[in-house]
Amino acid sequence: MTGTLLTGLILFLLEVVCNGEPTHAGPGTMEHPYEQDKLVHQTSQWVLELFNDSLPFSRAESFCRGQFSSLITLQQSEDKEETVEFLRQTGLRSAVWVRDHKRAASKPVALSRQYLEFSALNFPKESHEGFAHVKLAFPGLSSVSVCVRVQWDTDWKDISTVFSYAAPVLTNEFQLRGRVDMHGRIHLALIIHGKHFPYKASFANDGAWHHICVTWSRISNYWAIYVDGDRKDMGYGTDMDRDIHGDGILILGQDQDSFGGNFTEPFFGNITDLNVWNISLETRHVRALNLCSATVQEKFFSWNLTLINSHQVVKEVQAPLFCPAVHQQMELQGCRTLQGWSDQLPPLGWTDCSDFLPFICRSSRARHHRMEQISKSQTSQPSAFMNQLMKLSNKSQPMLVQQSLELDSLAQASALLNISVQALEDTQQEGLQPADMVTLIQLLTLTADVSSEPSVCNENSTRDNIQELSQHFISVADSIISENNANKWQAIKEVVNGPMDVVKSIDHMVTRLSQSLTAETDHVTIHSPNIKLELQQQRLDEGSKVVSFCGPGSETHSILDCISVPHQKIQDLQNNGFYKITLVNTWYGSLRPLFNPEENITMEPTVTDGSQRYLGTVLGSSVISTTVLGDDQPVSMAVHFQLQHKVQNYIDAVYDPVCAFWDFDLTPETGGWWNTKGCEVVSKHYGYTVCYCNHTTNFALLLQVYETQRSLENEKALKVLTFIGCGVSLCGLLFTFILFIAVGVPKSDRTTVHKNLIVALGLAELLLMCSDWAAENQAACFMVTALLHLFFMASFCWMLVEGLLLWSKVVSVNISEDRRMKLYYVIGWGLPVLIVGLTLVISGDKYKDHNHCWLSVKTDTIWAFVGPVIFVLTVNAVVLCRVVMVTVSSAHRRAKMLSPSFASKMQTFDLTWAVTRPVLILLPVLGLTWICGVLVHLSVVVSYIFIVLNSFQGLYIFLVYAVYNSEVRNAIKRIKEKRKALSFTNCSQPTSFLPSQRAPIISPWSRSPPTSSSPETSETSGPFNSTSTSLVIKNESFKKESFVNFSLRQASGNQVVQLTGFKPSGTKL
């Protein structure tokens, strides 16, 4: 399809680069896949393409990715049945590769190096005579595998022999040797039946331990060399088709020029864990051995120093070896296959992942149809770029009948990237067409997946030009993700998942080539207009340092996009045994315009106070990524990064940044999506944001867009109104509490509930006024948040108790007052403490908001407050409805007791007042005014209403519980009357007649003559005489003396007696 032109160019390059050398495609493979080797089958949803050319599992997956499809997954039973039927129709009598959906893709993990102690042999450089003889009788071997761990002496540059097996008839029967090149890399070579194969398999001479395995089989005539679990070299054929001779001698560290003697080409360093099998191990077995994982294959010889005779200069040492088998998921059981030609065999099976099998690529019908359209347009009307590409490749007509071929070597990829860069430069003015972009993305995908195994071409030439290949790779990627192609990305969105596919290819390519790129230098930088790539390597034993990477600067922005790994994290790697760290950092400056602005990023809004209306979320920064390699293994590690805000400014719009990363596994069928798990905002600044994430990947800022609902003036006015309201409310609550204590309001369950509500709400209001000042100190802010949560929760719980108490007055409840108050205290104080405590334990560091001293609204923590509040408001709303019903019923009954004419006039008024009065009184007391909080986003007017109703709640309580409370008013009236009476008595009576401890009372009644100063005598002017008498009465019912005053007047011939008495408490009798 779209890769047909690419195929022709690759085939041409095979001839140019490899000079016509034949390829070794492996058993059962074809040199190149042709169109007739592909069979297509369409289902209701998918298009299945069967490719008969056989590939290993990983290369089959790579091939399908290059076709913008995927290796088939049999997740549903229907998929399995349709695929089996398709295979039967084709008549294919071979299993095909399928992907196991249950097996997760490998990810970097936080490795803690696991060590095992091995007994090793040290071959010192001071003596050339060191050797070790394995005391084992060898029979003739038709297959053999030898695995060993070696630590090369970094100062030795000559040829070294790891082991040599000499037979009586041939000294060079089986041997492994190595040499160091000018770049400091060790190259290995095998000698089999005296034939010396070339030095091709290589690894860095870095002084570290390396696991080396060699295998050979006479039946398949196949040999291979593995280094650290990866196959580095392979081949077919020897001069003699026979078994390895028996009765030989196996020597470690020396080459035998004669049978068991004349040692030359010594090895210097350490050797351990030598094991021998009389079979040819498979790749999966070698990988397991590299990780110190046991295999089921029985060993012919197992490492045991008691079975080895060593020269006196060879010393036994202890070597701690890294064994990460515990932490890495290895596919030891092989890869999943499917067969459809036999009903007797199970359809699903397992086989070695390195086997060569056919495979099926699956894509959606829409994608397949769009690919065909692009292919036809590309064939009929080649673009300027394609014409120039054909011109540079000296091809007037590409081989369009063939499918895109998987690249077999980096040499081919480098050559094709080279002419692609030239074509891009030559056609820069014309630009790329959508079909060109599809082809180049396919080229990048295939190049990134090029196998590291030796192939048809000599890898040495490619390795010398790794830097150039990487530069060309970045140049091609840069041209694809240029902002000029933003509209063209929309034209290919049905084929390509998006620009992050290019990012994934870059990550894959650079990670694979990081060892080669840093072989001669510790710092590599590749720069293009839209991409900056940097590799930094450091040895941890030389002292770890904080390594920071920043994107390119600009004249308009002084703040750079930067990412760094914390120093402590690097130190932890060294403490866990890592000796080298490589950081792969990349910056992408042009990805933001490539994302479709109409595709809103689904995300919960972080601003929920009603001040702004949520419009959506957009990508608002460059993309920056980092990959950490510890000892060349991917390691997940926490990072800090800061990114500039890049977004168009709209009037009346504000943005709230969210730290995020691209998760390729979130929706694999669409290439992934943005995720925020493990990332958080550290600080927000004008124009940029600082983030922290607990893992490594591709990061960006997502900006949540809000339409401002309130102007700055309104925001300031609401803030001032809230502060004033809280102050007035606090004063009202304080006065109410003092009145309850000072005026001697009779003790009851209702007054007790009132007092607790006043205390809880008052403390909450006080903390709310101080919360802004505490925000500057994190510890103080956390404490204020917890206390605010506690006292506001207690306030609502006591509002709930107010409702329950009111309900008990309306509905008969058979609970004693003592038991009822105990229940009220549990609800009012015990429940808030429980809720706050559980929330602190569960939420941990997600308890507090980053910007305010309040619960985090970005997590579920806020529901620890909102949930109970909703419950309280619901219960109290029911109580209020019940109270209104009872009040209306009472008004009806009173209206019926009146005369009909008067009742009709009063009925409307009574009913209206019966509804209005309890609502006005109970709404603030029961907390129902908080219902306005869910409506503040509708209008700024509602915000003002909400602030007034709730910040002045203390004032309402003062008016309801104090000013208009009959109990409080009666208590105040009694105090006033008592003071008036005592003042009157002190002014009108002789001192001797007042109660005194010094004047004992002789008689219960005593008379006193009136005085001219008596208020009563002064008031009775006229012709009538009056007498005023004061008595001190001792009455057992009052328990103490009580003052009684009475006056005798004559009016109209009648005696009028006026009698006023007071209890000691001042209660009027």
Side-chain angles (χ1 to χ4, degrees):
M1 296 189 301
T2 59
T4 51
L5 179 59
L6 187 61
T7 298
L9 295 177
I10 294 175
L11 294 178
F12 167 73
L13 288 170
L14 282 173
E15 301 172 3
V16 175
V17 177
C18 302
N19 298 319
E21 292 185 12
T23 67
H24 300 285
T29 66
M30 304 174 63
E31 289 191 11
H32 308 297
Y34 294 90
E35 188 73 22
Q36 58 265 30
D37 294 322
K38 181 189 71 174
L39 299 175
V40 180
H41 174 71
Q42 295 191 10
T43 66
S44 57
Q45 294 181 330
W46 309 101
V47 174
L48 308 181
E49 295 179 284
L50 171 64
F51 294 90
N52 282 328
D53 49 296
S54 300
L55 293 173
F57 180 83
S58 61
R59 295 173 67 182
E61 276 196 313
S62 170
F63 184 92
C64 291
R65 282 195 299 269
Q67 300 296 313
F68 303 107
S69 57
S70 61
L71 197 64
I72 189 170
T73 303
L74 306 180
Q75 190 168 358
Q76 304 294 334
S77 58
E78 295 81 1
D79 297 337
K80 177 181 174 182
E81 295 173 358
E82 290 179 347
T83 307
V84 170
E85 182 61 28
F86 175 41
L87 291 176
R88 289 176 179 174
Q89 292 176 3
T90 61
L92 181 67
R93 299 188 61 81
S94 170
V96 297
W97 292 122
V98 295
R99 190 161 55 92
D100 186 6
H101 68 278
K102 298 180 180 179
R103 181 176 298 171
S106 59
K107 296 181 179 179
V109 295
L111 293 178
S112 173
R113 291 186 68 105
Q114 299 294 306
Y115 287 92
L116 292 179
E117 288 286 339
F118 283 81
S119 296
L121 297 178
N122 174 252
F123 296 81
K125 189 173 57 176
E126 291 73 20
S127 174
H128 287 214
E129 299 178 357
F131 72 91
H133 174 213
V134 178
K135 297 184 295 182
L136 182 68
F138 286 87
L141 299 173
S142 60
S143 297
V144 65
S145 296
V146 180
C147 293
V148 64
R149 298 183 188 271
V150 298
Q151 187 180 36
W152 229 274
D153 191 310
T154 56
D155 295 330
W156 182 249
K157 305 299 182 182
D158 293 337
I159 294 178
S160 303
T161 303
V162 179
F163 68 81
S164 63
Y165 176 79
V169 297
L170 182 63
T171 55
N172 291 329
E173 184 70 353
F174 194 65
Q175 184 180 136
L176 176 65
R177 50 185 12 198
R179 70 179 183 185
V180 182
D181 65 10
M182 59 184 300
H183 302 298
R185 293 186 64 83
I186 300 172
H187 295 257
L188 301 176
L190 265 179
I191 298 178
I192 306 176
H193 298 333
K195 181 178 180 178
H196 196 306
F197 291 95
Y199 291 95
K200 292 176 65 176
S202 69
F203 58 95
N205 186 17
D206 50 13
W209 283 96
H210 294 277
H211 184 255
I212 301 173
C213 282
V214 295
T215 65
W216 172 81
S217 173
R218 179 183 64 82
I219 299 175
S220 63
N221 206 17
Y222 169 81
W223 59 268
I225 299 178
Y226 297 85
V227 178
D228 295 331
D230 295 328
R231 188 169 59 186
K232 295 293 186 178
D233 196 10
M234 54 168 282
Y236 294 89
T238 59
D239 291 340
M240 292 172 284
D241 184 15
R242 61 173 176 81
D243 293 349
I244 292 178
H245 290 301
D247 301 325
I249 297 176
L250 179 61
I251 297 294
L252 303 182
Q254 294 283 359
D255 178 21
Q256 306 174 59
D257 280 351
S258 63
F259 185 64
N262 291 334
F263 296 144
T264 60
E265 298 173 344
F267 168 84
F268 297 122
N270 298 318
I271 293 178
T272 187
D273 197 26
L274 175 75
N275 297 279
V276 182
W277 293 263
N278 56 0
I279 60 172
S280 178
L281 294 178
E282 300 175 2
T283 301
R284 58 193 173 106
H285 301 142
V286 175
R287 289 176 178 172
L289 290 168
N290 175 54
L291 301 175
C292 309
S293 179
T295 61
V296 296
Q297 284 68 28
E298 185 176 353
K299 299 175 184 177
F300 180 71
F301 170 78
S302 183
W303 180 251
N304 188 347
L305 292 182
T306 61
L307 300 178
I308 297 177
N309 287 334
S310 302
H311 189 273
Q312 59 183 359
V313 300
V314 178
K315 303 299 182 182
E316 178 181 347
V317 296
Q318 294 298 313
L321 298 183
F322 175 41
C323 296
V326 178
H327 295 281
Q328 292 192 356
Q329 298 291 332
M330 296 302 298
E331 298 173 349
L332 301 180
Q333 74 273 34
C335 295
R336 182 68 87 177
T337 60
L338 175 71
Q339 66 85 22
W341 77 88
S342 175
D343 294 332
Q344 284 74 32
L345 297 175
L348 292 175
W350 298 93
T351 190
D352 193 332
C353 298
S354 61
D355 288 350
F356 287 76
L357 293 177
F359 54 94
I360 297 175
C361 296
R362 184 180 71 176
S363 62
S364 64
R365 293 173 63 96
R367 173 171 292 184
H368 185 267
H369 178 66
R370 180 58 179 157
M371 288 275 287
E372 288 183 337
Q373 289 180 339
I374 293 177
S375 179
K376 290 178 181 179
S377 65
Q378 191 182 60
T379 305
S380 59
Q381 297 179 346
S383 64
F385 168 77
M386 284 298 173
N387 286 327
Q388 184 65 19
L389 201 62
M390 289 187 289
K391 179 181 178 181
L392 293 173
S393 61
N394 296 324
K395 292 288 181 178
S396 59
Q397 189 68 27
M399 301 178 185
L400 297 176
V401 297
Q402 299 173 352
Q403 274 297 111
S404 354
L405 179 68
E406 181 190 34
L407 296 174
D408 287 330
S409 71
L410 292 177
Q412 301 171 24
S414 180
L416 190 52
L417 286 171
N418 185 22
I419 63 171
S420 298
V421 170
Q422 295 181 39
L424 287 169
E425 293 176 352
D426 296 339
T427 60
Q428 185 175 6
Q429 186 173 358
E430 291 83 356
L432 290 174
Q433 298 302 315
D436 304 335
M437 295 172 59
V438 171
T439 301
L440 290 177
I441 293 172
Q442 185 182 29
L443 171 62
L444 295 182
T445 302
L446 295 175
T447 302
D449 285 332
V450 168
S451 174
S452 60
E453 302 171 4
S455 186
V456 295
C457 301
N458 191 337
E459 287 291 330
N460 292 329
S461 60
T462 303
R463 187 177 301 109
D464 295 337
N465 298 312
I466 290 293
Q467 179 80 24
E468 182 182 4
L469 179 146
S470 302
Q471 181 65 61
H472 289 162
F473 192 100
I474 297 300
S475 298
V476 173
D478 186 276
S479 65
I480 298 174
I481 64 173
S482 172
E483 293 185 13
N484 299 330
N485 298 326
N487 295 330
K488 300 167 187 176
W489 275 98
Q490 303 305 314
I492 62 174
K493 63 181 181 180
E494 295 179 356
V495 176
V496 184
N497 290 323
M500 295 305 294
D501 278 4
V502 179
V503 173
K504 186 176 183 180
S505 296
I506 294 175
D507 290 345
H508 193 185
M509 183 274 299
V510 179
T511 302
R512 279 195 54 255
L513 299 181
S514 61
Q515 285 184 267
S516 301
L517 288 170
T518 57
E520 301 177 10
T521 178
D522 292 336
H523 190 275
V524 177
T525 301
I526 300 175
H527 201 283
S528 67
N530 300 307
I531 303 174
K532 181 180 178 181
L533 172 67
E534 185 176 83
L535 285 85
Q536 302 178 62
Q537 180 176 278
Q538 61 173 300
R539 295 182 66 91
L540 298 179
D541 55 4
E542 298 175 355
S544 60
K545 58 182 180 181
V546 178
V547 181
S548 179
F549 164 76
C550 294
S554 64
E555 297 179 357
T556 57
H557 295 89
S558 59
I559 303 299
L560 300 179
D561 298 326
C562 297
I563 190 168
S564 63
V565 177
H567 171 75
Q568 185 58 45
K569 300 298 181 181
I570 300 179
Q571 187 65 40
D572 291 343
L573 286 180
Q574 183 179 7
N575 296 337
N576 289 331
F578 289 85
Y579 68 91
K580 181 182 68 174
I581 183 175
T582 304
L583 299 178
V584 181
N585 301 301
T586 319
W587 173 87
Y588 305 92
S590 61
L591 292 180
R592 185 183 61 83
L594 306 184
F595 285 86
N596 186 1
E598 298 179 358
E599 294 180 359
N600 183 39
I601 301 173
T602 304
M603 185 172 293
E604 290 294 327
T606 57
V607 179
T608 57
D609 60 357
S611 61
Q612 299 156 0
R613 185 167 67 91
Y614 177 65
L615 299 180
T617 304
V618 297
L619 176 62
S621 71
S622 301
V623 176
I624 196 167
S625 71
T626 188
T627 300
V628 180
L629 303 176
D631 297 348
D632 300 320
Q633 298 291 329
V635 180
S636 182
M637 187 172 295
V639 295
H640 285 99
F641 62 92
Q642 69 175 30
L643 292 172
Q644 303 174 53
H645 301 167
K646 294 184 177 180
V647 69
Q648 184 176 358
N649 292 322
Y650 297 97
I651 300 176
D652 295 332
V654 294
Y655 304 92
D656 187 52
V658 178
C659 304
F661 67 96
W662 186 267
D663 189 350
F664 288 101
D665 298 326
L666 194 58
T667 54
E669 65 279 358
T670 59
W673 197 242
W674 296 107
N675 198 345
T676 59
K677 185 177 181 180
C679 294
E680 60 183 22
V681 175
V682 176
S683 60
K684 300 176 184 178
H685 307 271
Y686 180 77
Y688 72 98
T689 297
V690 180
C691 299
Y692 169 85
C693 288
N694 60 10
H695 55 277
T696 54
T697 184
N698 301 284
F699 304 102
L701 287 180
L702 303 181
L703 297 183
Q704 294 190 334
V705 186
Y706 296 90
E707 181 182 9
T708 304
Q709 297 291 302
R710 299 194 289 253
S711 63
L712 294 177
E713 293 77 10
N714 283 327
E715 287 287 343
K716 186 176 181 180
L718 289 172
K719 189 173 183 180
V720 172
L721 185 61
T722 301
F723 191 85
I724 294 175
C726 289
V728 173
S729 181
L730 186 61
C731 293
L733 293 171
L734 182 62
F735 290 155
T736 305
F737 189 80
I738 293 174
L739 281 175
F740 274 32
I741 300 299
V743 303
V745 177
K747 184 179 180 181
S748 65
D749 54 356
R750 185 168 61 176
T751 55
T752 303
V753 172
H754 293 344
K755 291 176 184 178
N756 282 276
L757 173 59
I758 291 170
V759 170
L761 190 58
L763 291 174
E765 298 276 6
L766 179 62
L767 287 169
L768 184 60
M769 295 175 65
C770 301
S771 60
D772 286 342
W773 297 320
E776 298 178 359
N777 186 294
Q778 289 296 323
C781 188
F782 188 91
M783 183 176 295
V784 168
T785 301
L787 293 175
L788 271 175
H789 188 196
L790 174 64
F791 288 116
F792 267 119
M793 201 73 264
S795 300
F796 277 95
C797 286
W798 282 108
M799 292 177 195
L800 175 62
V801 172
E802 291 276 5
L804 297 177
L805 182 62
L806 189 59
W807 182 271
S808 68
K809 304 298 183 182
V810 176
V811 181
S812 177
V813 179
N814 296 323
I815 302 179
S816 65
E817 184 174 337
D818 292 339
R819 293 178 56 192
R820 188 165 57 197
M821 282 309 304
K822 292 179 181 178
L823 176 62
Y824 290 164
Y825 276 112
V826 171
I827 296 175
W829 292 113
L831 189 59
V833 171
L834 178 63
I835 292 174
V836 174
L838 289 176
T839 306
L840 286 170
V841 172
I842 295 174
S843 61
D845 56 351
K846 298 179 181 180
Y847 180 74
K848 188 186 76 67
D849 189 86
H850 292 288
N851 302 318
H852 307 285
C853 297
W854 184 235
L855 303 180
S856 174
V857 297
K858 298 180 181 179
T859 62
D860 294 333
T861 307
I862 190 63
W863 286 100
F865 177 74
V866 175
V869 167
I870 292 176
F871 174 76
V872 171
L873 296 181
T874 303
V875 173
N876 285 352
V878 174
V879 172
L880 180 61
C881 292
R882 179 61 174 168
V883 170
V884 171
M885 292 172 59
V886 172
T887 307
V888 171
S889 177
S890 300
H892 271 296
R893 288 196 299 268
R894 192 177 70 171
K896 291 180 180 180
M897 297 173 61
L898 300 175
S899 61
S901 59
F902 187 73
S904 60
K905 296 178 181 179
M906 294 296 297
Q907 187 173 9
T908 303
F909 173 79
D910 285 350
L911 291 178
T912 304
W913 182 242
V915 174
T916 306
R917 185 175 183 274
V919 170
L920 292 177
I921 294 175
L922 297 178
L923 270 179
V925 176
L926 299 180
L928 296 177
T929 52
W930 282 74
I931 297 177
C932 297
V934 300
L935 304 174
V936 293
H937 65 282
L938 298 179
S939 172
V940 68
V941 177
V942 181
S943 300
Y944 278 100
I945 295 174
F946 174 73
I947 295 297
V948 170
L949 290 179
N950 291 282
S951 63
F952 289 93
Q953 187 176 7
L955 179 60
Y956 298 149
I957 291 177
F958 173 71
L959 295 175
V960 174
Y961 286 171
V963 177
Y964 296 106
N965 187 341
S966 59
E967 291 182 344
V968 176
R969 295 172 67 182
N970 289 336
I972 296 175
K973 186 176 180 180
R974 286 194 298 267
I975 293 175
K976 289 181 178 180
E977 291 179 351
K978 181 177 179 180
R979 289 180 178 176
K980 181 179 179 181
L982 291 175
S983 175
F984 166 76
T985 303
N986 292 332
C987 295
S988 61
Q989 305 302 328
T991 306
S992 60
F993 287 97
L994 294 177
S996 174
Q997 294 178 354
R998 296 180 182 178
I1001 301 171
I1002 302 174
S1003 174
W1005 294 92
S1006 300
R1007 294 178 61 92
S1008 61
T1011 63
S1012 59
S1013 62
S1014 177
E1016 280 77 2
T1017 58
S1018 63
E1019 292 176 2
T1020 58
S1021 60
F1024 307 101
N1025 295 327
S1026 63
T1027 303
S1028 177
T1029 303
S1030 297
L1031 296 178
V1032 176
I1033 303 173
K1034 185 174 182 179
N1035 192 302
E1036 293 298 330
S1037 63
F1038 297 144
K1039 302 300 182 183
K1040 60 174 66 176
E1041 294 86 354
S1042 300
F1043 174 76
V1044 177
N1045 170 269
F1046 64 91
S1047 300
L1048 298 176
R1049 302 179 187 177
Q1050 186 173 0
S1052 304
N1054 298 322
Q1055 284 280 11
V1056 177
V1057 180
Q1058 180 178 348
L1059 176 64
T1060 303
F1062 293 92
K1063 291 182 180 179
S1065 62
T1067 304
K1068 188 176 180 179
L1069 296 175

